[in-house]
Every structure is written in structure tokens, then in C-alpha cells.
Amino acid sequence: MTDLTRLTAAELAEKIHSREVTSAQVTRAHLDRIAQVDGRVHAFLHVDTEGALAAAEAVDAELDKGAAPASPLAGVPLALKDVFVTKDVPTTCGSKMLEGWLPPYDSTVAARLRAAGVVILGKTNMDEFAMGSSTENSAYGPTRNPWDPDRIPGGSGGGSSASLAAFEAPLAIGTDTGGSIRQPGAVTGTVGAKPTYGGVSRYGLIAFSSSLDQGGPCARTVLDAALLHEAIAGHDPADATSIEAPVPRVVEAARAGAKGDLSGTRVGVVREFAGEGYQSGVSAAFDAAVEQLRALGAEVVEVSCPHFQYALAAYYLIAPSEASSNLARFDAMRYGLRTGDDGGASAEQVMAATREAGFGPEVKRRIMLGTFALSSGYYDAYYGQAQKVRTLIARDFAAAYEQVDVLVSPTTPTTAFKIGERVDDPMAMYLADLCTIPANLAGTAALSVPCGLSPDDGLPVGLQIMAPALADERMYRVGAAYESATEPLINRVPELGGEQ
Amino acid sequence: MTDEELDTFAGQLDQILSSVASVGEVAAADVPPTSHAVPLTNVFREDAPREGLSQQQALSGAPAAEQGRFRVPRILGEEQ
């Protein structure tokens, strides 16, 4: 029998809906795979075996009655980043602060997945409160990259992307504040999309930087990502920043793109995203991808976005500022960790003791940085100035999209680095998000698709395709076209040690 | 924070701050700030009544609860 864990979500859905296999069989195959390999990958913080099988059996029961599938992905399993609140299923956000917490409600994303008949296998590992680029900041230990267990799987959504590359799940959900879907996608040879800001509801997404956070799909193919995108996207009255506009037709775009014809499409290469700091193998893979786009008929031009070089600095003022405010809610009173409550200590002392014990180093660094950037006397020079730079970055995008349909760059300047390599050097860690941050600051859409292995170290490289706000379909069309012309990278993931 | 953490963070924060200070190089005196990528004001939704959390659910994650309420450490000082 076919190994069900090797199929795409679209293939699995087809087999489940035609009753060739049951959702329970598919779900069991993935749970078995998790049991077999996750000790080496550590993609999951919690595996919900019982909940997943019950959800799968419910889908099967409906289909057996002859009902139409609840959605195109009904019955397909998925791994959910632990930043999304799930009713009665542990949600930690990678932090000791929320260890053992059972949320009393579902995030909109989780509720939409359940309504679509998608089977949630469990919750994936992440950098604490989504702050990081390597998943090493998780309070529960790092996730390992299936391509090389000594290397990082990216972050903050390293668990989600690693679960795809390890064939533990065909679909996953991530969140992208500065690149946390796209960078893990790039370094694990998988696909990840950051929808237009406001495209996917943030209700029940534990807030890091509210003006930047955006949930989105992770998958092994562009079509699968598009199917998942449509399952979770759309206006939500519970999120005041959710956009009241039709969901971009990304599935149709992915199917059209897969025909491999990009004639008439104008592609802009961002001049600022090259040169010093870029690994030569990454540049080589990227240049080859651009040539491939040209071969598919795209018209390729170079575009300058002069303020992108300040995006990283602006981001590391804006995101920590918002985080310092958002994380004030962890006050040890209504839910989450409480320490030092000995009967004599005051509320303030308990709060301080709890936050000292509950937050890891990166979270503390960002709270201090953000508090400083917002403090009177420094506000104008730091936070205020960063907001102005944000305006200039959005203007750079607007000017570029007058000339081209999509922009492209490498997703990350380097391939996956070694676990431990950048842990003590925060600035080096931050550089991993150099190319992904501008799209967050401007609220526009961006996708990372695998673009081969770096010739210098044999590790996956990501091609970033960016599109204007609410034109997400463009990046899916170009991404699917590129994918159709290349060998699927994912088939080259080495078997995880100790098997066969 | 522990003293050890303070020592580590002081150096790191100094390095990060001197790096992000580069935003100051940009001439932006007459540029309006952007606080949010999507300019939205006064977003309304239907004022539809719906079930909230029950008292039991609301207290389910509480570090300490008593008589159906959150129990918190003292909030007033000795002399107050």
C-alpha cells in the first residue's frame, strides 16, 4: 500500500473523498510516523491522538452517509503552531508561562479548521511567544531540521515546517511576524505563505506584535498551501483588523500557475537583497531560480527599494515595543504561571517573581528593548522614527508594484545554521529575517517556495515571492509555475536516522 | 531578573540598540508615521448577544481561586 505520509494534502483529500482510504487511516499513518520519528525531530509539543482520531472518524462517518465533504481538505491531518489557542488542548506558546494551560475557547483559525473537517494532530514547537528565528528559544527544547539534525529548522515556526519535512503532517499552520512562516519554510525545503495582513483572523492567536502578526499556511506544495489558505482566510468580526474583502482566489491561481506559463508576468528582483552577507550558494540558487522564471516567460527587471536596508532596524524597534505592551498581560493573576505567592508577598512581588521565572532570555530582551524604545525621551528617536521608516518601506513597495507584478528575493541570506551557533549573538540571529521583514512592515503578502539546494552545503534555499496587499493570488501563480518546472526538493530529504 | 542575566543583557542590549539606531540615518522629518499597515478606524460589528465563558471556565486557568473568584496576593502595603 502507498505510504500515506508521502502524499500531498490534495492527493490525500482526493483519496479520502473517493473513499479509497478513510481519514482515520490517514490520521493513524501520520500519528504512527510522529511516534516513530518525533523523538529525533521534536516538532511537536503536544500530540492529540484521541482528538485527532475522533475528528477523523467524524469526517468518515459523514462521508459514509454520502454527505459531501465539508471542505476540499476535509479529513486531511494538520499540525498547528502552539501560538493558536485550542479549546481544552494544551497551548503553551513555547513558554513556561503557559505550561499546562487548557484554554477555554478556540482561536478562529482552529475553529475554521475544525469546521472544514481538517484533523488537528497536535501543537507544534516554536520560539517562545514567536520570538526567534531558530526555535531554540522554546522553553521545551529545540526542534531539529530533518535535513540535518544538528541544524535549526528556522523559527519561530520551526516545529510546523519540520513536521512537514519529516512527513509527520502534510499541512501545518504558522504565524509570520517578521518571517516566522517563510524562513522556516526556506530552510526546511517546504512552502510557507504569509497572507496579506488582515487576511487571516488573529482572534485567539497569542499576540506578539499585533500590527505585524499574521497566521498562514505551511505545506510541501504550493497547491496545498493555497488550499489551506482558503480554508482559514476571510473576514472575522472577532478581529477588528481583519479585512472585510473577498479572499483572494489563491487555489485557482495555483492551478493556473502549475501550467508553467508566466508570459506577460513582470517580476522584479530587489537589488538591495544581494551582495555582502549573502551565502554564495544561496545567491547561486536564487540566480538560477530567476533564470527559470525567465525561461517560463516572465519579464524580469531589477527594482530598487532603497529603504529596505532599514527594515530590520525598524522592525526590532516596532516589534519589541508592541511585545512589551502585549506581554504585560502575563501578570500571574487570572491564568498561567504564578510563583512566589507565599502568603506574605505582594501582588507586585509575585508578578515580578513570576515574570522572572516564566519568561526566557529572548522574551526578556525584547520586553526591555521595547520598554526603552517607548519611554519618554527616547520615543521620538526610536519608536517614532521606526514608524516613519515603516511608511517609507510601504512607499518603496508601492513604487515597485507600479513597475512589476511580483517582487522576488532569497527568503533568507543563508541556509540553516547549526544549533547553538547564534544563540549568544542576538544581532546575528536577527539577520535571518533580513529579507522577510519588509512585507510584514508594509502588510503585504509573501510566499517562500523551495528553490534547490545550496551548492556549497547541500541545504535547502528558499525563493521569496512578494505580492501587493490583497493580491496574494499573484505569488501563488508564480510560485506554482516555478514549482512545476523544478524537481520536488522534498523527495531528497534524507531518511531520519535509525529507520528502514 | 538575576544579576547574571543583567550582566549578559546589558552588553547585548547595547549592541542591539546601537544597531537599530540606524533608523536615525533616514531623513524622515516630513514623513507621517505608520502605526498599522491597514488604515482602519472605527470598526464596528453587529452587537449580537452570545454566550460568554461560564464562571467555571473563566476560573479554569486561575493560579488560585476561592469562592468563585480569582484569589490574588495582597495589593496594599502594610502601612496602607
Side-chain angles (χ1 to χ4, degrees), chain A residues 147-216:
Chain A
W147 288 84
D148 176 352
D150 291 335
R151 291 180 189 266
I152 59 105
S156 64
S160 284
S161 295
S163 75
L164 300 172
F167 297 94
E168 295 172 296
L171 294 172
I173 296 277
T175 55
D176 194 311
T177 305
S180 290
I181 290 175
R182 290 163 284 161
Q183 183 254 2
V187 301
T188 58
T190 58
V191 177
K194 182 198 99 65
T196 296
Y197 181 86
V200 173
S201 171
R202 289 186 300 110
Y203 180 72
L205 188 178
I206 297 172
F208 157 21
S209 179
S210 305
S211 81
L212 302 168
D213 295 343
Q214 183 55 222

Side-chain angles (χ1 to χ4, degrees), chain A residues 3-7 29-44 79 121 124 143-149 153 158-172 184-185 187-191 219-220 460 489-497 499:
Chain A
D3 181 353
L4 294 171
T5 63
R6 293 270 156 175
L7 301 179
H30 285 92
L31 289 169
D32 288 350
R33 173 77 181 168
I34 292 168
Q36 192 190 3
V37 303
D38 206 53
R40 286 182 292 262
V41 181
H42 193 228
F44 285 86
L121 294 168
T124 56
T143 297
R144 294 175 181 276
N145 191 326
W147 288 84
D148 176 352
S160 284
S161 295
S163 75
L164 300 172
F167 297 94
E168 295 172 296
L171 294 172
V187 301
T188 58
T190 58
V191 177
R220 290 192 292 260
L489 200 59
I490 202 69
N491 295 339
R492 295 168 67 181
V493 186
E495 258 308 317
L496 290 155
E499 289 171 357

Side-chain angles (χ1 to χ4, degrees), chain A residues 87 101-102 104 197 210-211 237 240-241 307 310 313-314 316-317 322 332-336 338 341 344-347 349-350 356 361 364-365 368-369 372 381-382 385 387-392 395 424-427 430 441-443, chain B residues 1-2 5-6 8-9 12-13 15-38 40 43-46 50 53 57-64 70-76 78:
Chain A
K87 189 169 194 289
W101 182 47
L102 293 175
Y197 181 86
S210 305
S211 81
T241 59
H307 297 97
Y310 299 104
Y316 276 100
L317 289 165
E322 294 187 13
M333 298 299 140
R334 293 151 301 153
Y335 63 107
R338 178 187 288 181
D341 185 12
S346 70
Q349 288 166 329
V350 170
E356 177 181 330
K364 288 177 182 170
R365 269 193 292 268
M368 285 188 282
L369 193 60
F372 175 77
Y382 289 103
Q385 180 71 7
Q387 285 188 306
K388 290 179 175 183
V389 170
R390 189 171 183 181
T391 305
L392 293 169
R395 287 182 186 170
D424 297 320
D425 187 351
M427 272 319 295
Y430 297 171
L441 291 172
Chain B
M1 241 184 330
T2 62
E5 278 181 317
L6 259 181
T8 317
F9 289 154
Q12 289 174 338
L13 288 173
Q15 193 205 359
I16 296 168
L17 269 179
S18 56
S19 175
V20 297
S22 68
V23 292
E25 295 167 12
V26 183
D30 50 0
V31 176
T34 297
S35 60
H36 211 275
V38 186
L40 293 168
V43 177
F44 296 109
R45 63 173 162 77
E46 283 297 302
R50 61 184 173 90
L53 297 180
Q57 283 174 320
L59 291 170
S60 63
F70 294 104
R71 193 187 68 72
V72 300
R74 67 180 169 82
I75 53 169
L76 298 176
E78 298 289 335

